[in-house]
Amino acid sequence: AALCHNGKDACPMRIAAEEVGHPQPTTPIVTDNTTAAGIANDDIRQKRSKAIDMRFYWIRDRVRQGQFIVYLKSGDSNRADYFLKHHPATYHCRIR
């Protein structure tokens, strides 16, 4: 869900920049969800496509169009995960 949400937030900014004459390169999006990244990058083939959320199809189509590239980054090195996941005290001391 977050992958699609961030992509949808970035689309109007990309379009506005292109309309004023600033061509946009492929926009990177980082995620720690292996399934979402696999579906977006066509690395995972689902057996039952009806069971996949429509948001995955949206981001996959945008990746195929060359608007986005989805990178997988594990939670250990993903700074955004610091606030969202429970970590041991040693991890907090190392990050701060």
Side-chain angles (χ1 to χ4, degrees), residues 17-53:
E18 287 175 356
E19 286 179 351
V20 295
H22 298 285
Q24 297 298 298
T26 303
T27 304
I29 299 178
V30 179
T31 184
D32 66 344
N33 187 333
T34 56
T35 303
I39 291 172
N41 293 324
D42 284 328
D43 295 334
I44 294 177
R45 299 285 179 205
Q46 63 271 17
K47 291 181 181 177
R48 293 187 200 127
S49 60
K50 282 185 165 182
I52 300 298
D53 195 344

Side-chain angles (χ1 to χ4, degrees), residues 1-9 29 31-33 35-37 53-59:
L3 194 60
C4 179
H5 180 71
N6 291 334
K8 285 187 176 183
D9 282 348
I29 299 178
T31 184
D32 66 344
N33 187 333
T35 303
D53 195 344
M54 293 304 291
R55 292 174 288 196
F56 289 121
Y57 289 122
W58 186 89
I59 194 70

